[in-house]
Amino acid sequence: MQTGQRQTGRLRREMSYLDLSFAGLGAIIGSGWLFAVLYAAQTAGPAAIISWVLGGIACLFIALVYAELSGFLPEAGGATRYPQYSHGPLVGFIVSWAAFIAYASVPAIEAEAVVQYASHYIKGFGSTVNGAFTGKQPIDYIVEALLLVLFFVINIYGVKLYAKVNSFITFLKFLTPTLTILVILFVAKNWSNYSAPATHGFAPYGTAGVLVAVSTAGIVFSFLGFRQAVEMAAEAKHPQRDAPRAIITALVVGMIVYVLLQVVFIAAIPKNELAHGWASLSLTSPFAQVASALGLGWLATILYADAVLSPSGTGLVYFASTPRVILGSARNGYLGQVWRKISDKTGIPMYAMVTTLIASAIFLLPFPTWQSLVGVISSATVFTYIMGPVSLAVFRRHHDSAHRPYRLGGASVISPVAYVMGALIIYFSGWETVWKLTVGYAIGIIVYLIVSAARGDLAKINAKAWKQGIWLIAFIAVSLLETYFGSKRFGGQYNHLHGLIHYPWDLVVVIVVAIGFYYWGVASGSGSQETEDAIERASQLERPASAD
């Protein structure tokens, strides 16, 4: 649908700086703090602390890019709009489709987290083998679906109610991990876990284990919650002032909390749980079971309650942002007019909200456990967000004189570094994750081209669009090849012993190739009238919608 067509209703600008910050922090502190500390410890041992630091730094580089972009062009579904402005319809669609996969699956994983944690004390939930959660029962699907309906109901009553409910829930969610850190810090007795010879010391699985944990244990999945302030920037009272601050605030606070949680978790694990090493550590409700082992029954009770609150709060946040991604895609012209409609009564894109409910319910089916879905979400999300550095460079080159409330210093260095870090995170996810995403992207592209031809819109994908987008298709293909021929430590398939490109030379290859694709992507972008129109709309947002 072309820019300028009529759409029903308008988004309401009712969110404050704190609301935006809590939206990001509410997404960051979700099921990740309940499970990621366990899976990170299984993958990297005590060195999981380094994994959290590295993951946080990588996401901070990406977040800094979006701090400028969200102030420069505050757009609903910004992650899908920026690629359209900088690289045209083909790139815009690919990123929109990837973003939809990444976003719509999060409410599903958060609903799964509630049920998986509850399986420890509700015997009808889940299947376990040797204490590890391995699959779901029919009742699990029913409960998870009901949670999705609850997220839907809260969101359809408007952004103001959503903001109030989410800010309150996030405040409570923040209290529980903080309390857990303080209590276990003084009660934990097994600080020798950090260096015990029986479990091979601080980094039992080497540097590769540290890097794999960043992508597959839920670390990046947790930190990427900062994006909520990007997607909802158009609904802020002062978007150009508050969105950049909210992004950085949420991520920095989240980094501090997660590193400290991992520190105390390692020290609290009973020795007998590590009899067969960190990889064999098996807990269905990690922090709650650790608290019980320490004699902190009261804390375990709080943690079991929070295991409903934290994932539900994050599911609520993503249920709000996913319709904005769909709305952004519709405004880009990839979906019909109906998905552009916004309720006059609530200011909510209702059809996009219903689509989110259906898609999230579908994602419950093929992924039976939290960990089976988290790697897919992480890689899909990072793929959508590494477009940010490329778009920023294009906007700087072609629209440098436009007003930017926050201008990222050192962007010429930070942007390519952010892109490279994103490419590495995708590589660390491994072949088993990347090939599934590649198939998903390919299906989306093929369907889009067929539908565009049927609608008579295929002319939009002209020679210019292909010229601007072929680099991204090549990047997807090369990323797939890298994971196949790469080191066995990261899931390489070519050779069952080592892979074709041995560690750490595989990292060098990924970095060099990513740098090449970054500059190819920047060279492929261009200025456009559509971007100029968006800049003009953004300038109107400098006038506050209402007083704080």
Side-chain angles (χ1 to χ4, degrees):
M1 207 61 58
Q2 300 302 317
T3 303
Q5 282 185 297
R6 182 184 177 275
Q7 64 188 67
T8 306
R10 60 184 299 182
L11 296 172
R12 297 182 179 178
R13 295 170 54 200
E14 298 178 326
M15 298 186 74
S16 66
Y17 160 67
L18 282 179
D19 290 333
L20 288 174
S21 298
F22 276 129
L25 193 58
I28 289 171
I29 302 177
S31 59
W33 95 269
L34 299 172
F35 290 109
V37 289
L38 168 65
Y39 295 127
Q42 289 177 339
T43 307
I49 294 170
I50 299 176
S51 301
W52 282 103
V53 173
L54 292 177
I57 291 173
C59 291
L60 183 59
F61 272 91
I62 297 172
L64 288 170
V65 169
Y66 279 91
E68 174 170 321
L69 290 174
S70 63
F72 173 53
L73 295 174
E75 296 266 357
T80 63
R81 297 288 274 165
Y82 305 140
Q84 165 83 10
Y85 293 146
S86 63
H87 288 82
L90 181 59
V91 169
F93 172 78
I94 294 171
V95 175
S96 294
W97 176 242
F100 177 73
I101 293 174
Y103 278 62
S105 55
V106 174
I109 196 176
E110 298 301 335
E112 284 185 341
V114 173
V115 172
Q116 187 169 331
Y117 220 84
S119 68
H120 182 74
Y121 58 89
I122 300 179
K123 299 307 178 184
F125 284 172
S127 302
T128 58
V129 176
N130 297 324
F133 189 93
T134 57
K136 293 191 286 190
Q137 300 292 338
I139 187 64
D140 299 6
Y141 291 102
I142 296 173
V143 173
E144 290 164 2
L146 290 175
L147 283 170
L148 295 179
V149 172
L150 177 62
F151 302 156
F152 173 80
V153 170
I154 292 174
N155 272 284
I156 63 174
Y157 280 98
V159 68
K160 194 168 186 177
L161 175 62
Y162 156 78
K164 288 181 178 179
V165 172
N166 181 66
S167 295
F168 175 70
I169 290 176
T170 301
F171 177 72
L172 295 179
K173 286 167 59 179
F174 185 72
L175 284 181
T176 305
T178 302
L179 176 66
T180 301
I181 291 167
L182 293 174
V183 172
I184 295 182
L185 184 65
F186 291 102
V187 175
K189 300 177 181 179
N190 297 318
W191 293 95
S192 61
N193 285 347
Y194 279 93
S195 57
T199 51
H200 306 287
F202 179 72
Y205 309 111
T207 54
V210 172
L211 298 175
V212 170
V214 172
S215 291
T216 63
I219 292 174
V220 166
F221 166 76
S222 300
F223 283 142
L224 286 173
F226 79 81
R227 59 192 171 170
Q228 304 310 313
V230 177
E231 307 306 344
M232 306 191 77
E235 292 158 272
K237 296 175 184 177
H238 306 280
Q240 294 186 307
R241 182 193 73 188
D242 291 341
R245 294 193 300 156
I247 289 169
I248 295 174
T249 297
L251 185 55
V252 170
V253 172
M255 285 176 61
I256 294 170
V257 169
Y258 273 114
V259 169
L260 292 176
L261 282 168
Q262 190 72 63
V263 167
V264 299
F265 181 76
I266 296 293
I269 300 296
K271 295 289 185 183
N272 64 297
E273 293 286 351
L274 299 174
H276 301 289
W278 288 100
S280 299
L281 180 61
S282 182
L283 301 168
T284 55
S285 308
F287 266 114
Q289 289 175 260
V290 164
S292 296
L294 293 172
L296 302 170
W298 62 272
L299 179 60
T301 300
I302 292 175
L303 289 167
Y304 280 122
D306 187 76
V308 175
L309 185 67
S310 284
S312 296
T314 301
L316 179 66
V317 170
Y318 278 92
F319 216 98
S321 59
T322 304
R324 276 73 180 179
V325 170
I326 296 172
L327 177 63
S329 297
R331 287 176 171 174
N332 282 343
Y334 311 135
L335 296 172
Q337 177 75 8
V338 68
W339 280 279
R340 291 165 58 94
K341 292 182 179 179
I342 299 172
S343 168
D344 291 313
K345 182 178 180 180
T346 63
I348 291 295
M350 185 61 69
Y351 288 93
M353 193 73 70
V354 172
T355 302
T356 298
L357 177 62
I358 295 170
S360 297
I362 291 172
F363 273 107
L364 293 174
L365 301 175
F367 299 98
T369 67
W370 187 88
Q371 193 176 23
S372 66
L373 184 53
V374 72
V376 173
I377 294 175
S378 299
S379 293
T381 305
V382 169
F383 173 74
T384 65
Y385 269 75
I386 61 175
M387 268 304 302
V390 178
S391 293
L392 184 144
V394 172
F395 294 147
R396 287 280 191 96
R397 174 178 293 184
H398 297 281
H399 306 282
D400 193 51
S401 62
H403 175 61
R404 289 168 170 79
Y406 170 77
R407 191 177 183 92
L408 177 62
S412 61
V413 174
I414 292 175
S415 289
V417 169
Y419 188 92
V420 167
M421 287 185 170
L424 285 169
I425 290 170
I426 293 172
Y427 176 67
F428 298 154
S429 299
W431 165 262
E432 288 300 321
T433 293
V434 175
W435 81 259
K436 294 172 186 174
L437 286 174
T438 302
V439 171
Y441 298 155
I443 291 172
I445 293 170
I446 292 169
V447 171
Y448 171 60
L449 293 174
I450 292 173
V451 172
S452 294
R455 290 166 50 185
D457 291 340
L458 198 58
K460 292 191 302 183
I461 312 299
N462 53 24
K464 181 181 179 181
W466 281 103
K467 183 179 179 180
Q468 290 182 315
I470 193 64
W471 72 274
L472 186 60
I473 295 174
F475 174 76
I476 294 171
V478 170
S479 296
L480 182 68
L481 293 174
E482 286 173 343
T483 58
Y484 184 84
F485 291 105
S487 167
K488 193 66 177 178
R489 299 191 185 198
F490 301 112
Q493 300 293 303
Y494 179 76
N495 183 301
H496 72 283
L497 293 177
H498 304 293
L500 180 64
I501 311 172
H502 295 188
Y503 179 80
W505 293 109
D506 55 338
L507 303 187
V508 175
V509 170
V510 172
I511 291 170
V512 171
V513 169
I515 291 172
F517 273 108
Y518 169 80
Y519 286 106
W520 184 8
V522 172
S524 299
S526 66
S528 68
Q529 185 58 49
E530 187 177 14
T531 309
E532 292 290 348
D533 293 342
I535 293 171
E536 176 60 28
R537 289 195 301 272
S539 70
Q540 303 303 314
L541 293 176
E542 293 183 36
R543 295 192 295 271
S546 61
D548 281 322

